[in-house]
Amino acid sequence: MQNSEAGQSKNTAIELIKKFQQLFTDLNHKQIAERLVKLVIAKETISRAVLIVERDSHLYVEAIASAGTDEPFVNGVATSLSRLNYLPHQYIHQVFDSGRACALDQQTISKLGALFIQKGTHSCFLHPIQEKNKTIAVFYMESAHELPQLQKAVNELDTVWTFSSLLVRQVIDMWHHEEQAERFRLAEQALWASETYLNAILRYSPALISVKDLDGNVVLASEHYKQMANIDETGFVGKNVFDVYPKDVAQSMWEIDAATKTKQQTYEVELDLMHKDGSQHTYLMVKFPLRNKENNVFGVCTIGTDISERKLAENALREQQSRLNYMAFHDSLTSLPNRSLFYDRIYHGLARARRSESKVALMLLDIDRFKNINDSLGHDAGDILLKAIAMRLNEGVRDMDTVARLGGDEFVVVLEGIHDLEDVVFVANKLLTTLSRPLEISGHSISTTVSIGVSLFPDDGMDTDELLKNADVAMYKAKEAGKNNCQFYTKGMNATAVNYLLLENDLRRAVDQQQLVLYYQPQVDLKTGEMMGVEALVRWQHPDRGLISPAHFIPLAEETGLIVPIGEWVLREACRQQKIWLDAGKFVGKIAVNLSPRQFRQKNFPGKVEAILTDIGLEAKHLELEITESCAMEHAGETINQLNQLNQMGMFLAIDDFGTGYSSLAYLQRFPIQKLKIDRSFINDIHDDDNDAAIAKSIIGLAHNMQMRVVAEGVENERQAEWLRDKGCDQAQGFLYAKPMTAKQLENHFHNGRFYFDGTIVHLEPHLKLGA
């Protein structure tokens, strides 16, 4: 009887094994997990079954089965346990750690909360699956019945538990195999991609890329080497530097390669190499050692970048900077030192004179009746005369002396190392004779003379300004004495400088008697043709001489200090006119006002501007203030402080005459400037002068890189406008668009509150719909 029962049990076990083999044959790891929970959920008592597996020290929910109306719902999730809700995480970890089954009754479940157990669950059971006394999986089961009924169903699943350890191991192994296969696939794909990228780089890169072994032989090289003069179509691979470079270049390269290997450092060197087309290129060669996994050097990599264009740009920039520096300190017409360089040279000359206890003579020369030449023969003839006089002045003094043009027809000569007054008299007479020789100008033989005023250091002044002032007084005395002569300053001369004083007095009366008027010149958007603003320009309506250009009275105003009240009047009048236009619904954009250096340097100048705006009732956003480049760079720290205060008030700030001074980019980027104005001297010959074009293009690029707008001054023809528009210049002003006009004339161009160009103002291109 016992043998019969044993045989029957053996047959039953064999049948079960066969049954499970049939159930799980040809299934992947996901399907095995799904089949296992499906066997568990087959028990009617169990409402939900979850298989949790440990893989690589992490717990993953492999499959979830829920009882359905007809068929159970089975889902293979393969998701980290920590990412799922409605599971008792604490008890699952506890079963994995202890290896003991765990049962949860209704009371325990109610304490867990709604996020850990599904609604309607009255009992739970966690059954561990072990392998070699280690828990590798846990079956979590829920039931709507009480715990005894659930435990009974769990006991009836002994066969499932028996085979689960084998099947779970199979699931884990399959996962590992799949992960390894994926890693291998990714590694193979990465290797293929690396090879593809490397081949693409070597083939299409415009750089010289090579790798040499420790013997100096090239084992890898880019196609760009084939452009080199001494490398044929077979390329650089298999050769060394002596095979392709001239001997001196090859020796230098060989030594750098050797140093890279022995010192294990990165080296950079510039080389000029010849291309097959005969052009010479400059390459920046960067060499660095290559190391293996053991950190041993096995070769040298070279990357050569063609920097020919950069070198050309750097050279052009240096030349441009040199030219800008020259222009900043030299007169553009005569090439003589200008006022700035004159002040620098005489400062050092006076310092040398103090040390050597010698004298310095300052000779101020003014061309007699120069206005007659301009009026009769034209300004071109006047320019020729000024150039000729500049040349003769240079020829008549020593190399150690300074000849400068202060402006207009006024020159200055500084003689150093003077010990005898007769030396000055000799030079003065020599210059009077030399300058009076006839000149051939515009087909006419012109004889001109000069009047010379002389002051001596230290007798007539201890600084430059005092010496200049006294030489000026002496020069006017020479004109009174009949011109074409030289006068030395004496202390009684000040009262005799009649012309100078009369002009100064006239200018003082001009301020008091409201003889100054403002003209306005539109600034136009080069893309749309719309007027973006106007620049306020001061004119002097003299009762006898008529309308006087600022070029004739502003220098005197600067010298006498009258520029401060004039500048304040211009600022107040411009703001007043802007307020009138705004109240009348006439929008002209921002109104730009030029500031003189002396005006800008006033104590609490921002406070004065704010007071004017408050008094007139104008918002700061409608005002734009312009300072010259040279003014901005003088006392740059103070400039930054002043500009920051003005900027914080909300007004627009601009650098005028940009390119004529010497700007430090380090300071320029700290200025709160919104606009750069290109000086008209760069615009005149922008199509014919490559240097002017390069400077204008550089200024436009510089401004845009620093988030500034650019305005070109003095635009007089459409070719200039088209060039500027093509290079990205934002705005322009000049006779092409409109001459400076009075407020009344400007208002005549307004219709419905907007500015329109008409027949009296040159039209832009037809495609620009002005005022549309």
Side-chain angles (χ1 to χ4, degrees), residues 670-685:
R670 293 172 59 191
F671 293 160
I673 296 297
Q674 290 85 31
K675 182 186 289 185
L676 293 183
K677 299 187 72 176
I678 306 176
D679 187 69
R680 65 178 62 246
S681 62
F682 301 120
I683 304 301
N684 292 337
D685 301 318

Side-chain angles (χ1 to χ4, degrees), residues 79-252:
T79 302
S80 175
L81 172 64
S82 61
R83 299 179 61 184
L84 297 180
N85 292 328
Y86 304 113
L87 290 172
H89 294 202
Q90 176 185 350
Y91 288 97
I92 292 172
H93 281 283
Q94 179 180 314
V95 173
F96 268 100
D97 293 339
S98 66
R100 294 192 296 273
C102 178
L104 307 178
D105 57 16
Q106 178 65 49
Q107 185 177 1
T108 304
I109 291 171
S110 62
K111 294 179 181 178
L112 287 175
L115 286 177
F116 295 97
I117 301 293
Q118 289 198 128
K119 187 177 180 181
T121 301
H122 289 80
S123 61
C124 302
F125 197 92
L126 292 92
H127 184 84
I129 302 299
Q130 293 190 321
E131 179 185 71
K132 296 180 181 179
N133 296 323
K134 183 180 185 303
T135 302
I136 60 174
V138 168
F139 279 94
Y140 167 71
M141 292 155 282
E142 294 177 349
S143 176
H145 300 279
E146 298 303 321
L147 185 57
Q149 292 175 272
L150 176 57
Q151 287 177 321
K152 180 182 178 183
V154 170
N155 293 334
E156 292 173 354
L157 291 169
D158 281 345
T159 306
V160 175
W161 312 141
T162 300
F163 284 96
S164 288
S165 63
L166 295 174
L167 295 170
V168 167
R169 169 49 55 193
Q170 190 173 348
V171 168
I172 294 172
D173 291 344
M174 284 181 171
W175 267 113
H176 285 158
H177 177 75
E178 185 174 290
E179 289 173 351
Q180 289 175 355
E182 179 64 14
R183 283 196 292 269
F184 178 78
R185 185 188 67 79
L186 291 175
E188 190 177 46
Q189 186 179 20
L191 178 60
W192 175 86
S194 297
E195 291 178 350
T196 302
Y197 297 155
L198 178 60
N199 289 334
I201 290 170
L202 294 178
R203 183 174 181 182
Y204 298 108
S205 174
L208 299 175
I209 303 173
S210 67
V211 173
K212 303 185 188 76
D213 61 21
L214 295 178
D215 295 326
N217 297 313
V218 178
V219 296
L220 180 148
S222 61
E223 291 288 304
H224 194 67
Y225 273 100
K226 292 182 180 178
Q227 295 190 27
M228 300 300 107
N230 298 321
I231 298 179
D232 57 27
E233 288 304 312
T234 60
F236 196 22
V237 176
K239 301 179 176 68
N240 61 47
V241 291
F242 289 101
D243 296 329
V244 296
Y245 293 122
K247 186 176 180 180
D248 55 340
V249 174
Q251 184 63 39
S252 175

Side-chain angles (χ1 to χ4, degrees), residues 457-685:
F457 169 86
D459 305 347
D460 303 328
M462 297 300 293
D463 58 41
T464 304
D465 289 335
E466 189 176 7
L467 291 170
L468 264 178
K469 182 184 72 173
N470 291 335
D472 195 38
V473 171
M475 185 266 293
Y476 277 108
K477 187 68 175 177
K479 285 188 177 293
E480 287 179 359
K483 304 180 178 61
N484 192 28
N485 73 97
C486 172
Q487 293 288 327
F488 283 77
Y489 173 78
T490 60
K491 291 184 179 179
M493 278 186 175
N494 283 312
T496 65
V498 179
N499 291 336
Y500 183 90
L501 293 175
L502 286 177
L503 185 61
E504 181 180 344
N505 289 335
D506 283 352
L507 187 56
R508 290 186 187 278
R509 284 196 296 271
V511 178
D512 296 335
Q513 297 177 6
Q514 299 181 350
Q515 295 175 8
L516 300 178
V517 293
L518 282 188
Y519 277 56
Y520 303 90
Q521 186 173 35
Q523 295 176 338
V524 178
D525 188 306
L526 278 167
K527 291 183 180 178
T528 65
E530 295 283 352
M531 183 174 74
M532 304 304 294
V534 295
E535 182 178 6
L537 302 168
V538 66
R539 300 289 187 267
W540 181 5
Q541 188 66 51
H542 194 282
D544 299 322
R545 304 181 188 181
L547 195 65
I548 301 177
S549 167
H552 295 123
F553 67 88
I554 290 298
L556 175 61
E558 285 275 10
E559 185 176 345
T560 60
L562 287 172
I563 193 66
V564 173
I566 290 175
E568 184 174 344
W569 179 86
V570 169
L571 181 59
R572 182 177 291 275
E573 179 63 17
C575 291
R576 186 190 67 80
Q577 184 61 62
Q578 175 73 302
K579 185 70 166 63
I580 291 174
W581 281 331
L582 289 172
D583 291 343
K586 294 179 173 66
F587 184 72
V588 302
K590 298 185 186 299
I591 191 163
V593 177
N594 289 287
L595 302 177
S596 73
R598 183 174 292 194
Q599 181 185 10
F600 181 69
R601 299 294 176 204
Q602 289 182 95
K603 185 177 181 180
N604 192 28
F605 174 72
K608 297 179 185 294
V609 176
E610 186 175 22
I612 291 174
L613 292 172
T614 302
D615 185 39
I616 293 175
L618 180 67
E619 292 181 76
K621 66 180 182 180
H622 299 296
L623 178 63
E624 176 179 311
L625 297 180
E626 298 179 2
I627 61 173
T628 63
E629 184 182 14
S630 56
C631 174
M633 296 312 302
E634 183 181 7
H635 309 298
E638 180 186 340
T639 299
I640 292 171
N641 181 48
Q642 292 268 64
L643 292 178
N644 280 331
Q645 293 182 58
L646 294 169
N647 184 56
Q648 289 167 6
M649 290 164 58
M651 65 191 64
F652 219 69
L653 301 172
I655 296 287
D656 194 19
D657 299 336
F658 190 79
T660 61
Y662 178 67
S663 288
S664 166
L665 294 182
Y667 279 117
L668 187 60
Q669 66 182 353
R670 293 172 59 191
F671 293 160
I673 296 297
Q674 290 85 31
K675 182 186 289 185
L676 293 183
K677 299 187 72 176
I678 306 176
D679 187 69
R680 65 178 62 246
S681 62
F682 301 120
I683 304 301
N684 292 337
D685 301 318

Side-chain angles (χ1 to χ4, degrees), residues 390-408:
M391 292 179 61
R392 291 184 176 183
L393 284 173
N394 268 327
E395 294 169 356
V397 299
R398 302 166 299 177
D399 290 340
M400 63 180 291
D401 300 324
T402 296
V403 178
R405 183 188 178 200
L406 298 185

